[in-house]
Amino acid sequence: MCGIVGYIGSHQAAPVILEGLSKLEYRGYDSAGMAVFNGEKIQIQKSVGRLKVLEELTHGGATMPGTVGIGHTRWATHGAPSDENAHPHYNQEETIAVVHNGIIENYLPLREKLLSKGYQFVSDTDTEVLAHLIDYYYKGNPLEAITKVMHRVQGSYALGIIFSEHPDQIFAVRKDSPLIVGQNENGCFIASDVPAVLKYTRKVYFIENQEVVRLRVDHMHFYTVDEEEIQKEPVTIDWDADAAEKGGYEHFMLKEMYEQPKTVTDTLLPRIKDNDIVIEELGMSDEEINAIRKIFIVACGSAYHAGVTAKYVIEGIARIPVEVDLASEFRYRNPIFEEGTMVVVISQSGETADSLAALRESQKLGHKVLGIVNVVGSSIAREADNVMYTWAGPEIAVATTKAYSAQLIALYLLAMKFGKVRGKLDADAFHSMLKDLKRLPGQIERLLANKQRIQRFANRYIGAKDVFFIGRGIDYAISMEGSLKLKEISYIHSEAYAAGELKHGTISLIEEGTLVAAVATQDALFQKTLSNMVEVKARGAFVLAVTNEGNTEIEKAADYCIYIPRTNPYFANSLAIIPLQLFGYYVAVGKGCDVDKPRNLAKSVTVE
Ligand code: M6R
């Protein structure tokens, strides 16, 4: 979603802002803009399209002199992507400029009110309402005007604001959309995410909901919505700036796929102690684990797919009923919470608006939430009662790979821990599973080493119109993720189907040459899936099979086979997903798609 960067200091602001925005490109956007105070007035430049258009327009920022400024990459919500709708937005006198990430839910009545007071609008955005509303309340004291606006608006917002009458200050404001501030000896920064400032500082402050920051060249002051000053402690970011760079890979996505053995190791090993699973962050005693009657897993996108896998794994190993919900559905479906219900929210970014809302809804009803989160200090990480981090490091490509793999590991650990404590997993089975878990990183490495074979196969399908992914049980969950990987970056329509369900309608879409990717890693379901493969093949499908080494019988029904190393069936997703990620990636590369920044998508979906 939208990205915000701001700078006030001794250097020229525009190049710093452009550099910072380039580190937020992964968030997804369709236009970009900057506002810089040039000594006399606030100058704004903005343009639809990629950041490089803005860079060219401003000669790398040279045509926008000044040491105070704010910048923005916009992911359109209200109003089409256009120069007019791009941020920053001015008030009428062009003395105030605002950039915004989020949605102002009551912007229509506010707009009506402002129109009746003589304000004129030049864009279709909800953000322009903020610029005029700040102007309306501004009587010389920016903090007072901003907090009045905060009391009036509903919705989510991270804001960067500058006033030409106060060119020695930038204001940063946050409610339900991420925003951080940082400082070094040359100035102060605001940003939507850490990578934007990492080149300049490692000490950052996470702004909480309903807080305002006044940034000056050499210091920052934090305030509540009631203008009371508060003290905050900085957080030192310990990951390397290189972690957010491509490091010689053609795309972040490829680099991140290659990081999966490490990600899996980092998420797994710290939680294995003396041949046991120790999840201190769980904050649950054995009695509490024994008291769980039901688990809700709530998430979006790939994190939801990890949750679907977890349903099979937790129910199978720990025998606890699991319901998996899309967060956007869960938050409005009035779910039935009973005594002993545990809620698990999974999110890479920790900022997904629907997942955060589901978390809050559960807490409101008195239920504790475990967050499985990748981004340290993110909203879900801070608001969950307990957090189990997936140690995947910064994930930049919009299509998740390594964070998904880390989520699976966290969920396997949870299932095994619960299974053991509840007496559903005997010692032999537990230790054999532990061994299998520890083998996963090496096995993933082997699969990645096979990339050229998958690339050659993928090149044959860059012209495909429809692709189907089928499987049963955990293989169905794998299919869902394989299908999403392909469609989100290559724009080829694809669907995941429970293999047994295909003949209830969807099989009518199979034509001569349609690619069907069949996942068959679960021995207990192998023959059933094989039959479904035969059915689609008989109708002209070209069948790609992903199965375990040794299952050569599959060659009767498949046109092309990818074999994965054997592991415990509950962990098969961690291996089977690797060739499917590579397949989606190489199809997208073959088609010339913008792999890391697919059209219309955002890395963290901070609006509903
Ligand atoms: O940050 P989150 O894990 O909460 O994000 C959830 C989804 O938006 C995310 O998984 C999305 O589906 C990705 N594009 C998948 O690659």
Side-chain angles (χ1 to χ4, degrees):
M1 301 258 123
C2 308
I4 290 176
V5 177
Y7 172 70
I8 178 163
S10 54
H11 290 177
Q12 288 296 299
V16 174
I17 293 168
L18 286 170
E19 161 80 23
L21 289 178
S22 74
K23 299 287 183 272
L24 299 182
E25 280 192 291
Y26 72 90
R27 294 171 67 83
Y29 69 103
D30 37 56
S31 57
M34 284 191 288
V36 176
F37 181 75
N38 67 10
E40 283 175 21
K41 61 183 178 68
I42 297 172
Q43 184 190 356
I44 286 185
Q45 286 283 6
K46 48 190 188 176
S47 173
V48 74
R50 289 289 178 211
L51 193 59
K52 66 176 181 335
V53 180
L54 183 67
E55 274 166 1
E56 279 162 20
L57 199 67
T58 62
H59 299 279
T63 63
M64 298 185 75
T67 55
V68 187
I70 49 178
H72 190 262
T73 45
R74 173 176 186 252
W75 189 85
T77 55
H78 296 66
S82 68
D83 289 358
E84 295 73 34
N85 290 334
H87 299 204
H89 288 282
Y90 277 131
N91 63 332
Q92 220 140 293
E93 282 72 40
E94 304 189 349
T95 53
I96 300 169
V98 180
V99 290
H100 169 214
N101 171 22
I103 287 182
I104 303 303
E105 286 165 5
N106 58 339
Y107 86 103
L108 279 175
L110 289 171
R111 189 178 160 112
E112 287 305 312
K113 181 186 161 171
L114 289 161
L115 281 167
S116 75
K117 303 253 175 237
Y119 285 90
Q120 285 164 13
F121 286 79
V122 295
S123 78
D124 306 317
T125 64
D126 50 341
T127 306
E128 198 183 354
V129 163
L130 293 171
H132 293 313
L133 201 59
I134 295 169
D135 176 276
Y136 177 74
Y137 286 121
Y138 178 65
K139 305 281 178 275
N141 178 346
L143 185 62
E144 184 187 65
I146 289 168
T147 52
K148 279 194 172 143
V149 168
M150 290 166 76
H151 284 295
R152 284 291 275 118
V153 298
Q154 289 155 13
S156 57
Y157 46 85
L159 306 174
I161 310 165
I162 54 175
F163 295 74
S164 61
E165 286 184 14
H166 300 272
D168 58 338
Q169 302 168 31
I170 298 184
F171 290 87
V173 187
R174 174 183 195 266
K175 181 178 168 267
D176 290 342
S177 290
L179 201 63
I180 57 144
V181 293
Q183 185 176 7
N184 71 8
E185 59 290 355
N186 300 315
C188 293
F189 307 81
I190 69 174
S192 296
D193 198 0
V194 173
V197 299
L198 215 46
K199 185 173 167 190
Y200 308 104
T201 182
R202 286 180 172 279
K203 277 212 168 9
V204 302
Y205 297 81
F206 290 94
I207 309 176
E208 298 293 335
N209 270 342
Q210 308 266 48
E211 286 180 1
V212 186
V213 193
R214 188 201 302 263
L215 298 93
R216 289 196 160 97
V217 175
D218 53 2
H219 63 262
M220 295 184 277
H221 289 280
F222 300 88
Y223 302 92
T224 66
V225 68
D226 299 314
E227 295 181 58
E228 286 156 4
E229 188 161 354
I230 45 173
Q231 301 304 318
K232 286 178 82 77
E233 287 303 313
V235 174
T236 304
I237 303 297
D238 55 9
W239 42 269
D240 206 302
D242 291 350
E245 300 293 340
K246 275 192 220 152
Y249 286 87
E250 199 185 339
H251 296 103
F252 278 110
M253 184 176 172
L254 187 62
K255 175 184 176 235
E256 287 160 5
M257 282 191 281
Y258 269 79
E259 285 170 352
Q260 289 179 110
K262 178 172 177 343
T263 293
V264 165
T265 306
D266 291 352
T267 307
L268 183 66
L269 289 193
R271 288 155 178 143
I272 299 184
K273 288 183 188 130
D274 301 327
N275 264 330
D276 199 1
I277 293 175
V278 182
I279 313 175
E280 276 151 15
E281 327 85 281
L282 196 55
M284 288 176 94
S285 64
D286 287 1
E287 290 68 40
E288 285 169 314
I289 292 175
N290 275 313
I292 302 170
R293 292 287 157 266
K294 181 168 84 174
I295 299 177
F296 279 122
I297 298 182
V298 189
C300 303
S302 296
Y304 169 77
H305 298 157
V308 176
T309 304
K311 174 179 169 68
Y312 293 104
V313 179
I314 296 174
E315 289 188 343
I317 296 177
R319 307 304 295 153
I320 304 172
V322 178
E323 281 189 47
V324 195
D325 270 72
L326 292 164
S328 52
E329 290 293 314
F330 182 84
R331 60 186 291 193
Y332 296 119
R333 83 166 167 89
N334 197 9
I336 300 169
F337 286 93
E338 297 151 21
E339 189 65 30
T341 300
M342 176 183 184
V343 182
V344 180
V345 173
I346 311 171
S347 175
Q348 185 286 129
S349 63
E351 300 293 350
T352 301
D354 285 319
S355 304
L356 186 58
L359 174 152
R360 289 180 181 159
E361 195 60 33
S362 307
Q363 287 177 334
K364 212 160 65 192
L365 295 168
H367 291 270
K368 282 195 173 173
V369 175
L370 170 70
I372 296 184
V373 180
N374 194 44
V375 177
V376 177
S378 57
S379 300
I380 295 176
R382 280 177 294 147
E383 293 191 28
D385 298 278
N386 295 93
V387 189
M388 196 173 167
Y389 279 112
T390 50
W391 298 114
E395 191 179 62
I396 307 297
V398 164
T400 182
T401 51
K402 63 173 182 171
Y404 171 78
S405 283
Q407 286 162 357
L408 291 175
I409 298 298
L411 291 159
Y412 300 156
L413 288 171
L414 217 55
M416 287 173 63
K417 172 88 191 162
F418 289 174
K420 188 170 179 232
V421 170
R422 293 166 72 101
K424 304 291 180 197
L425 196 56
D426 67 37
D428 285 351
F430 182 82
H431 289 117
S432 133
M433 285 176 129
L434 268 190
K435 274 195 199 140
D436 280 337
L437 277 181
K438 288 185 195 162
R439 277 193 206 113
L440 286 175
Q443 292 174 322
I444 294 173
E445 226 157 60
R446 270 174 58 199
L447 286 162
L448 287 164
N450 204 14
K451 74 172 172 53
Q452 268 151 356
R453 182 164 178 257
I454 294 167
Q455 182 173 15
R456 280 195 299 275
F457 180 76
N459 282 337
R460 287 156 52 179
Y461 280 92
I462 56 181
K465 286 211 165 38
D466 302 293
V467 178
F468 294 88
F469 289 76
I470 61 169
R472 289 169 180 257
I474 286 177
D475 291 335
Y476 173 44
I478 300 170
S479 301
M480 291 169 114
E481 179 59 8
S483 167
L484 180 62
K485 285 286 92 69
L486 176 69
K487 79 177 108 180
E488 68 179 332
I489 56 173
S490 75
Y491 317 141
I492 292 175
H493 167 250
S494 84
E495 284 186 51
Y497 255 80
E501 181 64 14
L502 208 61
K503 61 171 88 63
H504 296 285
T506 306
I507 203 166
S508 67
L509 295 172
I510 304 292
E511 294 174 350
E512 197 57 41
T514 304
L515 179 62
V516 176
V519 186
T521 68
Q522 304 294 300
D523 285 345
L525 299 165
F526 183 76
Q527 291 301 334
K528 302 277 174 204
T529 305
L530 201 65
S531 306
N532 300 129
M533 290 165 64
V534 171
E535 284 161 11
V536 292
K537 197 171 159 59
R539 284 155 181 87
F542 186 95
V543 179
L544 162 72
V546 179
T547 192
N548 302 323
E549 283 168 356
N551 281 349
T552 46
E553 190 190 345
I554 208 158
E555 290 175 16
K556 289 193 300 205
D559 298 289
Y560 198 88
C561 296
I562 296 168
Y563 291 102
I564 62 166
R566 282 201 172 262
T567 183
N568 184 292
Y570 287 121
F571 308 150
N573 192 340
S574 291
L575 302 179
I577 197 58
I578 306 295
L580 298 183
Q581 291 171 344
L582 286 166
F583 175 68
Y585 171 77
Y586 281 117
V587 171
V589 170
K591 284 188 72 177
C593 297
D594 192 349
V595 173
D596 286 335
K597 302 186 283 288
R599 68 183 182 206
N600 304 339
L601 295 186
K603 181 66 180 166
S604 45
V605 183
T606 52
V607 296
E608 194 176 343

